[in-house]
Amino acid sequence: MNLCRLVYYSERNMSVALDIAQLIAACHKNNSKTTVTGMLHFNGTHFIQVLEGGRADVSFTYHRIAGDPRHQKILLLSCMDVRERLFPGWSMGLHEGMTDHTRQIYLRYFATEKVDPLQVSVESLLDVMQDLSAEL
Ligand code: FAD
C-alpha cells in the first residue's frame, strides 16, 4: 500500500474552545487505529500538521479534521506519495508554543519568523517540523 504525506496550515478559531490535551488524546486514539502518524505544531494562533499513512486513512483523517470548527481557513499545502515516513514514531507528535528556540528554527529556514503559507515551500516547512520534533 502506498504511503502518502499531507501537509496543511490552519488558523485557530478563537470563538470555539480549544483544549489541546483533549485534542491530542483524540489524535492518539484515532491515529493509532489506522497507523496514521505525523506531527502537529501549534504556535498559539496557527496549526501546521503533517499526516502520514495509507492514502485512504490520510484522506479520511484529513476530511474529518478539515470539518472541525476548532480551526478555520485551512490551506491544504501538499499531498503526495512518499517512500517513507518522516515521523514514524508519533501517532501525533505535538509541539506547542513559540519559544526563542522555536524562532531560531523558523529563522534557519525562512527569512522571517512570520510564515506566509502561500509563499513558503513545503520542503522548508517539513524541515521546520522535523527540527521541532527533535525538541520533543
Ligand atoms: P471524540 O472522541 O468524539 O472527541 C474527542 C474529544 O474532542 C472529545 O472530548 C470532544 O469533546 C472533543 N471535540 C470533538 N470535536 C470537537 C469540536 N468540534 N469542538 C470542540 N471539541 C471537540 N483527529 C484525528 O483523529 N487525528 C488527527 O491527527 C487530528 N488532528 C487534528 C488537528 C487539529 C488542528 C484539529 C483542530 C483537530 C484534529 N483532530 C484529529 C480532531 C478531529 O477534527 C475530530 O475532532 C476527531 O477526529 C473526532 O474523533 P472522535 O469522534 O473519535 O473524537
Side-chain angles (χ1 to χ4, degrees):
M1 182 171 70
N2 274 353
L3 267 181
C4 75
R5 178 181 304 127
L6 183 151
V7 186
Y8 77 83
Y9 182 91
S10 66
E11 180 183 293
R12 180 185 167 185
N13 181 356
M14 293 303 222
S15 57
V16 175
L18 174 69
D19 178 335
I20 279 282
Q22 190 185 62
L23 187 151
I24 210 72
C27 294
H28 291 314
K29 180 189 74 173
N30 295 331
N31 297 351
S32 56
K33 282 185 207 152
T34 58
T35 72
V36 167
T37 56
M39 173 80 189
L40 176 67
H41 171 51
F42 177 52
N43 68 7
T45 58
H46 292 86
F47 298 97
I48 303 171
Q49 189 171 25
V50 183
L51 298 167
E52 297 177 322
R55 277 184 196 146
D57 290 332
V58 166
S59 181
F60 291 144
T61 302
Y62 172 71
H63 285 293
R64 207 167 58 238
I65 295 170
D68 193 315
R70 289 173 283 188
H71 61 169
Q72 59 193 4
K73 299 182 187 167
I74 300 167
L75 278 173
L76 178 57
L77 302 180
S78 167
C79 184
M80 62 191 294
D81 283 355
V82 291
R83 286 166 58 88
E84 62 182 303
R85 298 173 197 249
L86 290 176
F87 306 100
W90 302 103
S91 62
M92 190 48 59
L94 171 68
H95 184 284
E96 192 182 357
M98 195 72 181
T99 64
D100 284 345
H101 188 55
T102 315
R103 287 192 180 85
Q104 283 168 17
I105 291 174
Y106 271 83
L107 289 173
R108 189 176 304 156
Y109 299 102
F110 301 123
T112 76
E113 65 194 51
K114 292 229 181 298
V115 173
D116 177 351
L118 295 176
Q119 302 289 336
V120 300
S121 80
V122 173
E123 285 73 21
S124 298
L125 271 182
L126 287 170
D127 286 336
V128 168
M129 295 295 272
Q130 279 190 286
D131 284 13
L132 292 178
S133 76
E135 286 193 342
L136 303 181

